[in-house]
Amino acid sequence: MKVAIVGASGAVGQEFLRVLDERNFPIDDLVLFGSSRSAGSKYTFRGKEYEVKLLQHNDDFKDVDIAFTSAGAGTSKEFAADITKYGAVMIDNSSAFRMDDDVPLVVPECNAADALNRPRGIIANPNCTTIMMVVVLQPLENISHIKRIHIASYQSASGAGAAAMAELQQQYEEILENKPVTVKKFPHQLAYNVIPQIDVFQPNGYTKEEMKMFNETRKIMHSDVKCSAMCVRVSSLRAHSESVWIETEKPISVEEAQKALAAAPGVTLQDDPANLVYPMPLETAGTDDIYVGRVRQDLSDECGLTFWLSGDQIRKGAALNAVQIAEYLIKVGNVK
């Protein structure tokens, strides 16, 4: 098994290395790719040092079985043909192909089999907030069809990359030292603040991030569900959280929902409010599961449930989900 990572020096690229190692992913050969800025950097994986190669239009992917790509939509679009030319499976973490009809959009807990039908050799990894939400929605959808979703996300600095995380830490230091605050990665100062904007605004008043949640959820779940999102950047460092309200065709009791969530793959129920137990990003950072708590009936809708979830955006929201897709393909013998 020859594996490639494109964007190896980024936050998600580095997480790929950790996740692949932790899960003992079968790798006989590993090749790392990056931009001219990161080419030449060296990283150790399983005791062996690897140097990042410059990503170019050539035959470097000729013997690659699986390529994990996380270098931005522009790079994915430019190099997709080179990556897949000789049969490599491209599992792409960007937004480049997510809504293309001939590219499956996969969260293994929901629609793993979709990964088997990939006419272009590309499988898209969904947006991080969508991944986290649908992992929790699927066991509830199995009980009663979800008709409508309202969701408010509380997204950490990690969602904007390693440089954004560093900027948030820098901002706190600058504030404490009475220095001018550096603002480059966010539209406003994030430290001691929340910003009700992630990505650019669309003509309908929603941001691109919010529209991703509407469109991607329907594609992943093969559903006509309608999702209205408000995505907010908060000053936590790593791990996103979401407040979710759902309306189902038939009522689901709190006890029934909790039982389904506790048994669901990739979900940990952490719901004991009497003892102040509920998920928080401080504790979910660095973990694999999506944690769910505060499950309760929606007082405004007899067919409604509301709950809170939190999970690591860089792991399950990106690298881990992609690796799980690859694990599924290996398990069913569907890698070139």
Side-chain angles (χ1 to χ4, degrees):
M1 182 70 63
K2 185 173 183 178
V3 172
I5 299 175
V6 178
S9 297
V12 176
Q14 290 295 291
E15 199 68 23
F16 272 128
L17 292 173
R18 283 188 284 270
V19 171
L20 290 166
D21 189 30
E22 289 170 7
R23 297 177 72 86
N24 198 28
F25 191 88
I27 297 177
D28 300 302
D29 194 10
L30 176 67
V31 57
L32 308 179
F33 293 95
S35 65
S36 56
R37 187 176 63 255
S38 59
S41 301
K42 296 180 180 179
Y43 299 101
T44 300
F45 179 77
R46 295 178 182 169
K48 183 178 177 181
E49 189 175 72
Y50 294 87
E51 183 173 325
V52 177
K53 300 177 64 173
L54 179 64
L55 183 64
Q56 301 180 80
H57 294 290
N58 55 25
D59 291 335
D60 277 344
F61 290 87
K62 188 171 185 179
D63 300 316
V64 170
D65 296 290
I66 296 173
F68 298 105
T69 56
S70 187
T75 299
S76 292
K77 289 178 180 179
E78 181 182 350
F79 288 93
D82 299 281
I83 294 169
T84 60
K85 182 178 179 180
Y86 295 101
V89 179
M90 177 180 177
I91 304 178
D92 184 52
N93 195 56
S94 79
S95 62
F97 310 108
R98 288 174 183 161
M99 297 311 299
D100 290 8
D101 291 338
D102 54 358
V103 175
L105 184 67
V106 177
V107 176
E109 292 88 345
C110 301
N111 64 329
D114 286 4
L116 304 179
N117 181 21
R118 49 178 193 277
R120 292 162 61 185
I122 303 169
I123 301 168
N125 217 29
N127 183 48
C128 55
T129 45
T130 306
I131 290 174
M132 293 166 53
M133 185 176 70
V134 298
V135 167
V136 175
L137 293 183
Q138 189 61 55
L140 302 176
E141 171 73 14
N142 293 342
I143 300 172
S144 178
H145 175 55
I146 299 169
K147 297 166 57 180
R148 190 171 287 107
I149 306 162
H150 290 91
I151 179 262
S153 72
Y154 304 80
Q155 298 180 224
S156 63
S158 62
M165 296 167 72
E167 182 173 302
L168 176 59
Q169 292 174 310
Q170 180 184 352
Q171 286 181 353
Y172 278 117
E173 292 171 1
E174 290 168 342
I175 290 167
L176 290 171
E177 296 171 4
N178 279 325
K179 294 180 178 178
V181 177
T182 301
V183 179
K184 293 180 179 178
K185 302 301 292 186
F186 305 105
H188 303 279
Q189 174 186 313
L190 184 58
Y192 297 114
N193 196 20
V194 296
I195 304 172
Q197 176 192 355
I198 297 177
D199 216 322
V200 296
F201 285 101
Q202 304 299 289
N204 63 359
Y206 285 78
T207 65
K208 197 172 180 181
E209 182 88 352
E210 292 158 355
M211 291 309 302
K212 288 175 186 176
M213 298 199 74
F214 180 94
N215 293 313
E216 292 179 18
T217 299
R218 292 161 71 95
K219 183 173 180 180
I220 296 162
M221 299 184 72
H222 302 284
S223 172
D224 60 355
V225 65
K226 294 180 179 179
C227 176
S228 181
M230 169 72 83
C231 294
V232 181
R233 186 76 69 193
V234 299
S235 55
S236 58
L237 192 63
R238 178 165 171 163
H240 293 351
S241 301
E242 301 174 12
S243 291
V244 185
W245 291 258
I246 63 169
E247 179 190 343
T248 52
E249 285 187 343
K250 297 181 294 184
I252 301 174
S253 71
V254 170
E255 295 73 23
E256 193 176 13
Q258 289 173 325
K259 183 179 179 181
L261 292 168
V267 176
T268 294
L269 183 66
Q270 194 175 60
D271 196 7
D272 185 10
N275 291 301
L276 311 183
V277 175
Y278 31 69
M280 294 182 290
L282 191 64
E283 297 170 350
T284 60
T287 63
D288 288 348
D289 279 5
I290 306 304
Y291 288 73
V292 187
R294 299 215 56 204
V295 181
R296 57 204 192 278
Q297 293 292 154
D298 184 345
L299 295 178
S300 69
D301 188 342
E302 64 180 17
C303 289
L305 281 174
T306 181
F307 48 86
W308 170 263
L309 64 87
S310 184
D312 191 311
Q313 170 270 336
I314 303 177
R315 289 185 74 87
K316 182 54 182 173
L320 174 62
N321 194 75
V323 171
Q324 288 173 316
I325 293 170
E327 289 172 339
Y328 171 77
L329 296 179
I330 292 171
K331 179 181 177 180
V332 299
N334 192 248
V335 180
K336 83 173 184 177

